[in-house]
Amino acid sequence: MIIKSFSLTNIKNINSSYILLYGDNEGHKNDVINDFFLKNFKGEIIKYDESQILEKKELFIETCFNESLFENSKIIIINRVTNKLYELINSLIEKKIHEKKIIFNSGILEKKSKLRILFEKKEDLVCIPFYQDN
């Protein structure tokens, strides 16, 4: 499901665990992450870079599915996401995660990008493009 960056008021009503933010407007993406996801969030926040996940996939998968005794929910933010994570993301989506949101922050993705197509076509996934201001 595609949500335009100028109509983000709808994002609070979305119940998806997987969100893809892509484009070259890093400032706006960071504002959205902070204002709509992290502000007033009372859980665990974990940040990764794609290279960290590629080096230690098992540890990342464990983090996604582990339940914490102390925190009810988690937000996992992955920066610099590319198509290299496509297979891993696809396998995560097939499994159900509870009480977690995974935010995939990517640069510019071509229209033919497998990652972009996946998030645009599946109804239970959220895709938000961010373009440079004119």
Side-chain angles (χ1 to χ4, degrees):
M1 168 191 323
I2 302 171
I3 297 178
K4 301 294 182 190
S5 62
F6 55 82
S7 64
L8 290 173
T9 53
N10 301 335
I11 202 163
K12 292 193 179 203
N13 301 329
I14 304 280
N15 210 12
S16 177
S17 296
Y18 304 98
I19 298 135
L20 172 67
L21 310 177
Y22 73 90
D24 53 2
N25 194 337
E26 291 299 323
H28 194 192
K29 284 193 287 186
N30 289 331
D31 288 346
V32 167
I33 289 170
N34 289 325
D35 294 344
F36 288 95
F37 298 105
L38 302 183
K39 188 177 183 180
N40 300 322
F41 178 72
K42 294 179 177 26
E44 185 178 6
I45 299 168
I46 303 168
K47 294 185 179 185
Y48 285 101
D49 197 78
E50 180 185 69
S51 59
Q52 293 172 302
I53 294 171
L54 292 173
E55 288 173 11
K56 298 179 181 176
K57 286 183 185 178
E58 292 78 25
L59 181 64
F60 172 71
I61 292 170
E62 230 176 78
T63 302
C64 291
F65 291 104
N66 281 351
E67 300 297 324
S68 173
L69 296 173
F70 305 105
E71 300 292 339
N72 288 340
S73 56
K74 285 183 192 175
I75 291 181
I76 301 170
I77 301 171
I78 306 165
N79 291 306
R80 294 188 196 90
V81 173
T82 65
N83 283 322
K84 293 177 187 175
L85 285 182
Y86 176 79
E87 294 299 324
L88 179 66
I89 292 170
N90 215 7
S91 68
L92 280 177
I93 291 168
E94 290 175 7
K95 302 171 185 170
K96 301 291 183 208
I97 61 171
H98 303 285
E99 300 296 323
K100 295 175 191 79
K101 283 204 183 299
I102 302 178
I103 300 171
F104 302 97
N105 185 359
S106 177
I108 298 171
L109 293 174
E110 297 295 323
K111 229 178 171 87
K112 295 178 183 178
S113 162
K114 292 194 292 186
L115 198 56
R116 181 174 166 179
I117 291 169
L118 174 70
F119 275 82
E120 287 178 348
K121 299 291 183 199
K122 285 203 163 211
E123 194 63 33
D124 55 340
L125 305 179
V126 175
C127 176
I128 307 171
F130 291 86
Y131 303 108
Q132 281 295 355
D133 296 333
N134 292 337

